[in-house]
Amino acid sequence: MATVLLSSLHTSLLSLTKSRFRPHIISCSAPKPSHRTRRDLILLGLSSSLPIIFASPASRAEEEVKMASVVDEINAYTYMYPLELPSQKFVFKWVESRKPERYSSAAPLSPDARLRIVSERIDIIDNLVISVSIGPPNFQIIKSKDKSSWTAKDVADSVLSDKSALRVTSTQRMAESSVLDTHCSEIDGEPYWYYEYLVRRSPTKTVQASNLYRHNVASTVERDGYLYTLNASTLSKEWDKMGPALEKTVASFRLLPSTDNYVPPYKDPWRFW
């Protein structure tokens, strides 16, 4: 039985990550490119301790990526993150800087505390960050409450408008970022919005060059009236090396069926433990 489950898991994940982030330009109203059942999502969660190597012939820069998965039952999502680039003899040095926690007790990304980080892992040596944040849509940007009409650009602007620790306006926060690419894919009947952007602020204290930005890729999906976003980033000068692996991480982000451990963002908003 275990052999059958692992074989099915490997097939599902290999299909999911064969292509890079950018080519998945599929309209949310278009036919689904593939059908992944709830069983596939649960199988994806079973791999949390199982590293898997993905091979892709499309680019030499992404010949192999050894990855493992994260499952957050509190917020009911999963994703894969890179462990190693065997062909380059490169090993990632991840540290779980924020363990998964409920929305009410999570760290805010802006003074109004709308957008909050519910989990995060970082590689300090290589300047890599993977985080998951949750927050309500900004209806000053997204005009409709019907998510089937939302564009990836509007969703990106909504998330980025709340993503700043500075006491500035939403417009000023958006001006800190330049969106390079957006698209939407429908998976299991739910729209997932993907976007790629640069952050203009100096990414490190040691590097003050004004032309050195932080390169980000992100995936956002809506549930219970909140936007769930996985964001992966590195320094712009490292994008050619790190970008393909981070794109695979973003492409693997999925909501999971809720369990008894799931805590919706709207539950006990006053609770901080």
Side-chain angles (χ1 to χ4, degrees):
M1 180 64 178
T3 302
V4 174
L5 287 174
L6 291 177
S7 176
S8 176
L9 169 66
H10 184 273
T11 301
S12 176
L13 292 178
L14 184 60
S15 174
L16 176 67
T17 57
K18 270 188 176 180
S19 300
R20 291 186 57 181
F21 173 90
R22 194 183 296 270
H24 293 281
I25 306 176
I26 303 170
S27 170
C28 285
S29 60
K32 301 176 187 178
S34 62
H35 178 68
R36 279 179 285 276
T37 65
R38 294 293 184 188
R39 177 174 175 271
D40 292 323
L41 295 179
I42 294 172
L43 285 174
L44 184 64
L46 293 177
S47 66
S48 57
S49 61
L50 176 66
I52 299 175
I53 294 180
F54 297 102
S56 174
S59 170
R60 290 183 180 180
E62 53 170 340
E63 289 178 357
E64 293 180 350
V65 182
K66 188 176 182 181
M67 305 184 79
S69 75
V70 171
V71 176
D72 178 356
E73 292 188 352
I74 297 174
N75 300 294
Y77 65 80
T78 185
Y79 67 87
M80 305 289 291
Y81 66 97
L83 295 178
E84 184 179 352
L85 303 176
S87 62
Q88 301 182 44
K89 298 181 179 180
F90 178 83
V91 177
F92 293 86
K93 307 161 198 67
W94 296 111
V95 174
E96 191 175 34
S97 53
R98 298 182 188 273
K99 294 183 180 297
E101 59 182 323
R102 58 194 298 152
Y103 174 78
S104 63
S105 61
L109 277 167
S110 60
D112 58 20
R114 286 166 44 87
L115 189 65
R116 305 183 186 184
I117 302 173
V118 295
S119 72
E120 182 181 69
R121 64 184 58 244
I122 62 176
D123 180 337
I124 299 176
I125 304 300
D126 301 298
N127 283 295
L128 299 164
V129 180
I130 297 174
S131 64
V132 177
S133 60
I134 299 175
N138 186 334
F139 287 110
Q140 292 182 342
I141 296 172
I142 299 176
K143 303 301 183 182
S144 171
K145 293 191 176 182
D146 177 11
K147 65 182 178 182
S148 66
S149 67
W150 298 354
T151 67
K153 180 61 166 60
D154 286 344
V155 171
D157 287 343
S158 172
V159 173
L160 295 177
S161 70
D162 281 329
K163 194 174 183 180
S164 175
L166 302 177
R167 289 188 175 277
V168 294
T169 66
S170 295
T171 302
Q172 288 173 312
R173 290 173 193 160
M174 289 168 56
E176 296 173 350
S177 307
S178 295
V179 178
L180 305 177
D181 181 42
T182 65
H183 64 273
C184 177
S185 293
E186 186 175 309
I187 301 169
D188 285 343
E190 290 293 330
Y192 281 72
W193 300 279
Y194 300 91
Y195 41 102
E196 181 177 357
Y197 64 98
L198 297 178
V199 175
R200 291 191 177 91
R201 291 170 295 171
S202 179
T204 67
K205 291 182 179 180
T206 57
V207 180
Q208 299 297 334
S210 60
N211 62 344
L212 184 58
Y213 303 146
R214 194 157 190 90
H215 202 135
N216 297 254
V217 283
S219 172
T220 297
V221 60
E222 185 274 343
R223 178 169 60 192
D224 294 331
Y226 286 78
L227 299 179
Y228 289 63
T229 299
L230 182 143
N231 194 94
S233 68
T234 186
L235 300 182
S236 56
K237 67 176 183 177
E238 298 293 335
W239 182 252
D240 287 344
K241 178 180 179 180
M242 303 296 185
L246 298 183
E247 288 172 341
K248 289 180 183 294
T249 292
V250 168
S252 72
F253 181 55
R254 296 289 182 273
L255 294 183
L256 292 173
S258 60
T259 66
D260 291 341
N261 295 323
Y262 170 61
V263 181
Y266 56 79
K267 184 177 180 180
D268 298 337
W270 48 266
R271 183 175 173 181
F272 291 96
W273 67 90

